[in-house]
Amino acid sequence: MTALFDWLAQILGILAAVLAAPLFLGWVNQCRAWLQNKSAPSILQPYRGIRKLFHKDAVIAANASQLFRLAPYMVFGAMVTAAAIIPSVATRLPFTQAADAIALVGLFATARVFVSLAAMDVGTAFGTLGARREMMIGFLAEPALLMIIFVASLISATTALPRISELLATQSLALYPSLAFTAVAFTMVLLAENARIPIDNPATHLELTMIHEALLLEYSARHLALMEWAAALKLFNYVCIGFALFVPWGLATSQAPLALALSSLFLGAKLVLAGAGIALIETVSAKLRVFRAPEFLATAFLFAVLGLLVRLLLGT
Amino acid sequence: MTQTLHSPLLLCLLLLTAWGIVGLAGLIRPASVAFAGRTLFPLGAVCGAAVAYVAATSLFAPAEQIVLSIGLPDLPVHLRLDSLSSAFLFLLGAAATGISIFAAGYFRRGEGTPPGLMCLQYHLFLASMGFVLLANDAYSFMLAWETMALSSYFLVTTQHRIPEIRSAGFLYLLIAHIGAIAILLSFGVMQGGSWQFTFDAMRAAQLDPAWATSAFLLALFGFGAKAGLVPMHVWLPEAHPAAPSPVSALMSGVMLKTALYGMLRVTFDLLGEPVWWWGLILLALGLFSALYGVIFAAAQTDMKRLLAYSSIENIGILFSGVGLAIVFAGTGMRIAASLALIAVLYHALNHAFMKSLLFLGTGAVLHATGERNLGRLGGLIHRMPWVAWLTLVGALAIAGLPPLNGFVSEWLLLQSFLFASEVPQAFVNMLLPLGAALLVLAAALAGYVMVKFFGVIFLGQPREAALQEAHDAGIAERAGLAWLAVGCVLLGLLPAQVIALLSRVIQPLGFSGLPLDDGSWWLLVPLPQRQISYAPLVFFAVILVVIVLTIAAVRFFYHQRVRRSDPWDCGFGRLNSRMQDTAEGFGQPIRHLFTPFFAMARELPSAFDPAPRYRVVIGDRIWRGLYLPLGRLVRRIADAVAWLQQGRISTYLLYSFVTLVTLLALML
């Protein structure tokens, strides 16, 4: 019976994450519009966009291969898998032990490689340009991400996200300076990996400044909808990883329905704050040139190393 | 009689001899492609599968050894099969099976060396690699080692009419021999005054630390040269691409692993307890090689050179893992050392499958198009779907992406890096995590390289009109590729089973193996006390289910209409295939970011040039900074002593006489 309930909770959790992801994106966009003194689109705008795209006829380049059509499903599948694994609401669900933090990074890398390969498939200048920039951001971000995981694992002696969260959540409010440094690093990686300002501008379609848009240039209709949905889900997933590593308070460590409901409320509140925070960062910073991206991510790496040294030298 | 036939060692011996006989049979009809291809290579593949099977079963048997009194008098051949040898024999057999199946359909008429002779060289190469793994004394080890070097040299120079290939072969032979001398000297140190050159005597010898260190350093130089560790790597990107593709696959996939085997054998078995700081040397060299290899791979425009540099990267990863194991073992952290060693063995196995797969894939492309230059390929996924999709498996695997196999070993290695903070030495425990970051950087760059490799060859539009006539690979070639691809997938999806077997492998080296949790077969829990787990099957299943559900849902709720049209051209209207990124273009961010690594010469055309030419030549700083001065030095010394060569027989007789007198004086 408990096993059945576990699985039910797991599947509900996945569905909730998949359905809530565009809402979170809508919230970020709304906040950003407010901060920039514009009239904001509805918070439901991402859903409308996805719905509209699903209704359209798919137009595919004449020389696109099967890989091009497979990639959106693959990327969406990878993001849903990640959503199943990340302990966003509860730490003891069945799938949470399928991967630790490093394997999650690997899963995101799989999605990235498929997006890039699909972008190269049609063989236009923009697609390959986007692919190479996306892969560049990827290899710059991954070492920083690993250092972040390293620091978290030094505190809890494991790289399993649910165990890290449990340890931090159940302790009486202990402050780790090392985690503060790594949280900064993680925020920078999150912005870079999700094509936000200052690495990429999600609001433009100006070809020469973009990474994410260049990758999706050839996609239309349902394929584009899946890609956009997957991107929203990726942002959601990253934010949830951030919560699990740095602010796990309120996570349910049991499967009692009440605990899960309470934990969902906590998650909602944290998402509202995080969305506003991302919007604020995007409002106060300017987009960097592509070749300044390495400096940005090297800074993130150094912050993570600083966290590591603080942890090793001071033990805090 | 039935007893002896159940001895895995004798069976292995029999199978290796069978490889030799299959090779010799090639001489019956040396000019016949059909005889070698349809009969001998498939036979060799069967032997390979049998070797893999016997090696796998012998993991469960105790180590055994025999002494064969063949060869020179008083120098019998000692052979021994323990689980470390078994693991590498399995690697050899399993990879050779796929490669031989592919080779059965690969060789065509008119490729330099006649097919029958090449068949002999090929199978001699296989058998000698097997004997390297079985040898239990320095004499037979060196004999097999040199046979391996020589037979592969002849295979590299198959197309010996091309001067570049001859010089690549010469460089390979030269460095192989300098390395072999170092290995010989290392054995000389390890016998420790007993003058017994059996490995048993070396195990028993008690060396004082200085001698043990010198033996280790000599072995590192010798095996490092064979493995292509930077800075001894210069031969690798020349020799591997020069060879025919199945041979490149064998060299990169299998032969480099014999060097790893030698390193493990010497460090953990013959020398006994390694000293912890040896590991730091290996770690530094390994990580540098990994980064160096992958950065150069990203800048290559020749698809086989790109793969050769990627081999340097993977060798770097393997040796850094060995270094980590030495650091842990030397500081008494047995569990961490076991984990690192298992990661190394796992990665060796993975690399054998994925690199062979990729090299064979380039072979198929080379046959179909006659082109190795990435700048003249493109769009082949339409013309060669089999090769493209099977190669994609290898590319994703080597990029270290879950749920395929490359990820598992890198994950294990990173997990063992996490033990670094427990190393008692101050500063070392802070530097090691940075090593892990370098490793991740190399792994992530490998992803970049593989996107470039696969994307430029198989995706996009064909860059040359002739590519429209490219044909897919034949049945045998497809089967060989599929064998290796299935290996990659299985090694990726069943890590718990593989690790349970590899735990047996490291036991003779004095490690207890990992405290594996046998609870669930689909979940890998390498270290229960760390509560880490990884379940690639869940990845696979969930992704698959989501894909199927999404496709079904899209079809049910919406429609499946698809319209084909031209790619979007931004209103320009004259897009052509030359406007895609070239291989140079794809490598440009790497050249920009890692400028200090390259010795680069560029010709940038001016904007008003009527016939603009863009040229970039990427050189290796180590070649210019180390090898060319060394070569000049050797030449100068040779010139200086050349006056000894007078060309008169009386002078030479005088030399002999003086030598004899000196020796006599010394002896008396």
Side-chain angles (χ1 to χ4, degrees), chain B residues 116-330:
Chain B
L117 192 56
M118 193 148 71
C119 173
L120 173 65
Q121 293 160 358
Y122 178 91
H123 287 102
L124 211 57
F125 184 36
L126 287 177
S128 60
M129 285 194 280
F131 276 109
V132 165
L133 303 175
L134 289 178
N136 196 33
D137 65 311
Y139 173 68
S140 48
F141 184 91
M142 291 313 296
L143 198 68
W145 188 261
E146 289 294 285
T147 315
M148 182 176 89
L150 270 180
S151 52
S152 53
Y153 162 76
F154 284 116
L155 285 167
V156 166
T157 53
T158 299
Q159 291 179 313
H160 46 78
R161 290 182 209 289
I162 302 173
E164 286 83 29
I165 288 184
R166 279 205 303 276
S167 66
F170 173 71
L171 185 64
Y172 169 51
L173 200 62
L174 184 71
I175 293 186
H177 277 95
I178 293 172
I181 292 170
I183 296 171
L184 195 63
L185 289 175
S186 169
F187 285 140
V189 175
M190 276 190 290
Q191 48 80 23
S194 67
W195 300 106
Q196 292 288 310
F197 285 87
T198 60
F199 284 179
D200 290 331
M202 293 180 197
R203 284 185 192 101
Q206 294 294 323
L207 296 181
D208 68 67
W211 281 115
T213 302
S214 60
F216 169 80
L217 291 177
L218 281 168
L220 174 60
F221 180 78
F223 291 119
K226 193 68 178 181
L229 211 57
V230 176
M232 286 90 83
H233 67 287
V234 285
W235 62 273
L236 202 150
E238 306 297 326
H240 286 213
S245 292
V247 177
S248 315
L250 268 188
M251 288 175 76
S252 262
V254 186
M255 188 187 75
L256 299 184
K257 308 308 177 317
T258 60
L260 177 70
Y261 164 82
M263 205 61 222
L264 290 175
R265 179 63 82 195
V266 167
T267 321
F268 288 101
D269 190 11
L270 302 187
L271 282 174
E273 279 298 294
V275 184
W276 71 272
W277 59 264
W278 295 354
L280 294 185
I281 304 174
L282 263 182
L283 253 177
L285 279 180
L287 288 172
F288 186 67
S289 301
L291 201 58
Y292 195 88
V294 76
I295 288 171
F296 269 82
Q300 296 310 307
T301 52
D302 176 315
M303 59 180 178
K304 290 184 80 174
R305 275 179 82 92
L306 183 147
L307 291 182
Y309 274 112
S310 151
S311 286
I312 297 178
E313 181 224 341
N314 282 285
I315 281 296
I317 292 177
L318 288 170
F319 273 69
S320 63
V322 178
L324 200 61
I326 294 176
V327 172
F328 288 150

Side-chain angles (χ1 to χ4, degrees), chain B residues 501-525:
Chain B
L501 289 179
L502 291 180
S503 282
R504 295 177 160 276
V505 173
I506 58 172
Q507 277 163 12
L509 305 181
F511 297 97
S512 55
L514 292 179
L516 274 180
D517 183 1
D518 297 328
S520 39
W521 62 275
W522 53 274
L523 188 67
L524 170 64
V525 187

Side-chain angles (χ1 to χ4, degrees), chain B residues 7 26 35 39-40 119 123 256 297 319 358 373 380 418 431 435 487 505 538 557 665:
Chain B
S7 147
F35 179 59
T39 317
L40 296 178
C119 173
H123 287 102
L256 299 184
F319 273 69
L358 291 179
N373 187 341
L380 287 175
L418 282 171
L431 281 176
V505 173
V538 170
F557 288 114

Side-chain angles (χ1 to χ4, degrees), chain A residues 18 32 42 179 187 198:
Chain A
V18 172
R32 197 175 49 191
S42 157
L179 280 187
T187 311

Side-chain angles (χ1 to χ4, degrees), chain B residues 308-461:
Chain B
Y309 274 112
S310 151
S311 286
I312 297 178
E313 181 224 341
N314 282 285
I315 281 296
I317 292 177
L318 288 170
F319 273 69
S320 63
V322 178
L324 200 61
I326 294 176
V327 172
F328 288 150
T331 50
M333 298 162 66
R334 309 300 287 184
I335 299 260
S338 304
L339 187 64
L341 270 183
I342 285 182
V344 166
L345 292 170
Y346 208 139
H347 197 71
L349 202 55
N350 288 341
H351 185 244
F353 276 90
M354 48 207 192
K355 188 49 67 64
S356 307
L357 176 57
L358 291 179
F359 261 120
L360 296 183
T362 60
V365 170
L366 191 60
H367 256 324
T369 63
E371 198 55 71
R372 271 168 52 177
N373 187 341
L374 290 170
R376 296 170 186 277
L377 293 164
L380 287 175
I381 195 170
H382 300 284
R383 304 292 312 169
M384 320 177 64
W386 276 91
V387 175
W389 286 98
L390 290 172
T391 307
L392 180 63
V393 174
L396 295 179
I398 210 164
L401 300 176
L404 290 170
N405 60 350
F407 178 75
V408 186
S409 45
E410 278 169 16
W411 185 74
L412 289 172
L413 199 53
L414 286 175
Q415 290 295 350
S416 53
F417 262 108
L418 282 171
F419 281 94
S421 58
E422 293 165 25
V423 172
Q425 277 76 14
F427 296 113
V428 175
N429 58 2
M430 292 177 198
L431 281 176
L432 285 181
L434 296 182
L438 274 183
L439 188 74
V440 168
L441 179 61
L445 276 166
Y448 187 94
V449 170
M450 282 303 131
V451 167
K452 166 178 165 170
F453 172 80
F454 188 81
V456 173
I457 297 178
F458 293 105
L459 303 177
Q461 304 171 30

Side-chain angles (χ1 to χ4, degrees), chain A residues 102-115:
Chain A
I102 300 176
L104 267 177
V105 176
L107 194 59
F108 287 121
T110 310
R112 171 166 48 236
V113 165
F114 267 93
V115 173

